């Protein structure tokens, strides 16, 4: 099974959790023989107390995650299915084939490799119930998409903390629901974008485009999507995504301009070379 990782935020009571889950197993039956759930929980208090800054804490935890993953893969061919990051702890979860690894062996490795407090257990979970618990619900799936989009923007050089018009697309089954939603959203400070195009769908033929002037940091976008998802509750409509213009620094704009110029020149050269090859072939003896 190919790994396919999704990241989202989940609220459980008063606790905020950041979840990373391998959604590559979603919709499939649990792999044969992988009937045991392995958990390792790291207490973050002692790590922070002995580290000088947050960056150092992150480096230590990333090193532990990498070592644990490689050791479990090599030792027990374990399947890494996700982690939960909360304010006070970091939890790693794997599935094992029954009897592949003992709790004592895991405990000994942790004592040798990790200087701080960590708890661990191995227990039966043949139906992968905990994995189903980790999978995102409909709202959390939107958060997964948000994280992917914002990561792509950062990778392209977007200054995500800089405000801009952020557009959101909504779709409705009935026009009266769209009209009532327009009035509600205007009271909430949204701009109704009458001039923006939106493609209706057969089951949702009434689109609505709205906007807010704000940044596109993950916390901002997730809060906005959560709000719109809540406002849609009880109406026969659905949220259909968001988008915005990129905000690049001067250096990134210049690099993007140069890259496009280079790609255009390479494309032109390929066309010229292709035509030259074609003419050369036509001039060869025996060619018609």
């Amino acid at each position: 099974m190919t790994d396919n990782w999704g990241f989202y935020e989940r609220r459980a009571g008063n606790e905020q959790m950041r979840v990373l889950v391998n959604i590559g197993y979603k919709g499939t039956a649990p792999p044969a023989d992988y009937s045991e759930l392995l958990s390792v929980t790291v207490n973050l208090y002692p790590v922070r107390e002995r580290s000088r800054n947050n960056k150092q804490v992150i480096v230590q935890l990333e090193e532990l995650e990498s070592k644990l993953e490689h050791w479990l893969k090599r030792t027990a061919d374990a399947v890494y299915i996700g982690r939960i990051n909360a304010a006070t702890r970091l939890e790693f979860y794997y599935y094992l084939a029954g009897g592949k690894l003992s709790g004592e062996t895991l405990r000994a490795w942790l004592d040798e490799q990790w200087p701080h407090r960590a708890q661990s257990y191995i227990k039966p979970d043949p139906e992968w119930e905990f994995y189903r618990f980790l999978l995102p619900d409909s709202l959390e799936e939107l958060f997964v998409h948000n994280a992917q989009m914002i990561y792509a923007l950062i990778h392209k050089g977007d200054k995500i903390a800089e405000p801009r018009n952020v557009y959101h697309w909504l779709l409705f089954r009935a026009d009266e629901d769209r009209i009532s939603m327009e009035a509600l959203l205007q009271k909430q400070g949204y701009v109704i974008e009458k001039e923006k195009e939106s493609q209706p769908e057969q089951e949702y033929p009434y689109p609505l485009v709205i906007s807010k002037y704000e940044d596109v940091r993950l916390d901002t976008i997730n809060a906005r999507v959560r709000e719109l998802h809540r406002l849609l509750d009880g109406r026969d409509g659905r949220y259909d995504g968001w988008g915005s213009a990129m905000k690049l620094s001067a250096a990134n704009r210049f690099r993007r301009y140069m890259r496009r110029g280079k790609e255009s020149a390479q494309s032109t050269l390929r066309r010229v070379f292709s035509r030259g090859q074609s003419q050369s072939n036509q001039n060869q003896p025996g060619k018609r």
Side-chain angles (χ1 to χ4, degrees):
M1 179 66 64
T2 303
D3 286 348
N4 181 12
W5 293 92
F7 171 80
Y8 67 91
E9 296 179 348
R10 173 177 287 177
R11 292 178 180 175
N14 294 326
E15 187 175 50
Q16 182 82 3
M17 301 185 299
R18 294 174 177 262
V19 181
L20 182 71
V21 58
N22 185 352
I23 57 179
Y25 292 91
K26 181 180 179 181
T28 65
D33 300 328
Y34 279 76
S35 59
E36 293 184 338
L37 174 68
L38 180 154
S39 169
V40 173
T41 299
V42 176
N43 186 332
L44 297 180
Y45 282 128
V47 188
R48 291 175 179 144
E49 286 176 356
R50 299 182 189 183
S51 300
R52 286 173 291 181
N53 54 57
N54 193 52
K55 185 176 181 181
Q56 194 177 58
V57 171
I58 293 172
V59 168
Q60 289 183 58
L61 295 172
E62 286 178 342
E63 287 178 354
L64 172 63
E65 181 177 32
S66 179
K67 287 180 180 179
L68 181 63
E69 183 175 5
H70 284 92
W71 180 73
L72 286 171
K73 184 68 177 176
R74 183 177 66 253
T75 305
D77 196 26
V79 175
Y80 187 23
I81 55 103
R83 72 167 190 249
I84 296 175
N85 189 355
T88 61
R89 68 191 187 279
L90 183 62
E91 305 170 3
F92 304 102
Y93 292 97
Y94 291 80
Y95 277 98
L96 308 167
K100 276 274 190 173
L101 184 70
S102 69
E104 292 77 13
T105 301
L106 174 61
R107 182 74 261 161
W109 185 89
L110 285 170
D111 290 342
E112 180 182 344
Q113 298 293 329
W114 185 243
H116 308 295
R117 204 180 338 166
Q119 297 177 329
S120 62
Y121 65 78
I122 298 174
K123 70 176 185 179
D125 186 11
E127 300 301 320
W128 282 39
E129 291 181 10
F130 187 79
Y131 175 71
R132 307 300 171 196
F133 164 77
L134 282 184
L135 288 175
D137 61 22
S138 59
L139 175 58
E140 291 164 349
E141 284 182 350
L142 295 175
F143 294 161
V144 170
H145 182 64
N146 292 345
Q148 292 169 341
M149 284 188 65
I150 292 168
Y151 175 81
L153 289 174
I154 293 172
H155 185 69
K156 292 177 181 178
D158 192 306
K159 298 168 68 177
I160 63 170
E162 190 168 323
R164 79 288 302 268
N165 283 327
V166 182
Y167 302 94
H168 299 268
W169 282 263
L170 311 177
L171 296 171
F172 297 88
R173 292 186 193 272
D175 196 27
E176 54 266 27
D177 281 334
R178 176 175 61 176
I179 293 170
S180 67
M181 191 66 164
E182 279 188 15
L184 175 61
L185 291 170
Q186 284 178 316
K187 290 179 182 178
Q188 298 281 341
Y190 290 89
V191 175
I192 307 300
E193 299 287 349
K194 296 287 188 181
E195 303 302 318
K196 284 286 180 182
E197 291 186 4
S198 182
Q199 295 298 322
E201 296 183 4
Q202 185 173 358
E203 293 186 6
Y204 294 88
Y206 300 100
L208 174 62
V209 184
I210 59 175
S211 70
K212 275 270 192 178
Y213 187 77
E214 57 192 359
D215 62 66
V216 293
R217 290 177 295 188
L218 184 59
D219 288 347
T220 304
I221 294 297
N222 280 350
R224 189 64 58 211
V225 170
R226 181 183 286 111
E227 178 182 62
L228 292 171
H229 196 268
R230 176 180 57 81
L231 292 173
L232 282 167
D233 189 32
R235 293 176 171 82
D236 205 355
R238 68 178 178 85
Y239 183 80
D240 199 42
W242 62 274
S244 71
M246 291 184 65
K247 293 286 186 178
L248 300 174
S249 65
N252 279 321
R253 283 197 300 270
F254 179 75
R255 281 194 290 267
R256 196 176 188 193
Y257 168 78
M258 293 300 292
R259 184 167 61 249
R260 285 181 174 178
K262 182 180 178 181
E263 291 170 353
S264 177
Q266 289 174 340
S267 177
T268 300
L269 286 172
R270 282 195 296 271
R271 289 196 299 270
V272 170
F273 179 76
S274 177
R275 286 199 299 269
Q277 285 290 96
S278 176
Q279 291 172 358
S280 175
N281 289 338
Q282 290 174 5
N283 293 333
Q284 290 180 22
K287 296 288 185 182
R288 294 291 185 265

